[in-house]
Amino acid sequence: MQIRLDPLAGPEIATLLLEHLQDMARHSPPESVHALDLDKLRQPDITFWSGWRGGELAGCVALKQLDPEHGEIKSMRTAAAHLRSGVAAELMRHVLAQAVQRGYRRLSLETGSMAAFAPARALYTRFGFVECGPFADYVEDPYSVFMTLTL
């Protein structure tokens, strides 16, 4: 898979992120949806990558700098045609390497607590993430699971 910085300008990524937001809204009440739209992903503290296989968008991931030693994984998504084919693991390895290169000591994320998010939680656990309390601007929420990894 080719992973590249993405300017968030192509129709493929717009479609994948819209699917992501719609899926989050399907499983969580509006106040518990923390997924970012295109405009919110275009902030200077966020770096966004897309993964491509054979010219087809396979997935995406973003890394938000919370402070000089702490980053947050955002917008991790695998395109439906590429589910269970290792896309998320490749993206995770990439974002972990980027976090280490930036000198982060900690990487955190928020994901859903419902059954639909069990595969995501399992992936994060396989990579060493453990549950933690809310971080950054998050608050306790029964629809959220907060996870962190010391790098």
Side-chain angles (χ1 to χ4, degrees), residues 31-52:
E31 66 276 7
S32 297
V33 174
H34 302 290
L36 302 177
D37 63 19
L38 280 170
D39 287 336
K40 290 180 181 168
L41 285 166
R42 290 185 180 121
Q43 300 306 308
D45 59 346
I46 297 176
T47 306
F48 189 88
W49 294 275
S50 54
W52 298 79

Side-chain angles (χ1 to χ4, degrees), residues 11-117:
E12 300 95 341
I13 201 64
T15 298
L16 183 62
L17 288 171
L18 180 59
E19 289 172 9
H20 183 59
L21 286 168
Q22 291 171 339
D23 195 38
M24 298 304 104
R26 205 171 12 260
H27 297 288
S28 304
E31 66 276 7
S32 297
V33 174
H34 302 290
L36 302 177
D37 63 19
L38 280 170
D39 287 336
K40 290 180 181 168
L41 285 166
R42 290 185 180 121
Q43 300 306 308
D45 59 346
I46 297 176
T47 306
F48 189 88
W49 294 275
S50 54
W52 298 79
R53 284 188 174 163
E56 190 174 295
L57 180 61
C60 62
V61 66
L63 181 57
K64 178 178 181 178
Q65 180 168 317
L66 299 176
D67 67 45
E69 295 184 343
H70 189 188
E72 178 184 5
I73 295 175
K74 299 291 294 180
S75 301
M76 178 167 259
R77 182 73 177 193
T78 300
H82 295 274
L83 287 172
R84 292 170 211 54
S85 67
V87 169
E90 286 189 57
L91 290 169
M92 180 59 74
R93 283 189 287 277
H94 179 81
V95 80
L96 286 171
Q98 292 293 316
V100 168
Q101 185 177 5
R102 292 178 182 195
Y104 292 167
R105 294 180 182 264
R106 181 176 168 205
L107 197 56
S108 300
L109 60 92
E110 179 276 338
T111 191
S113 63
M114 295 72 65
F117 297 93

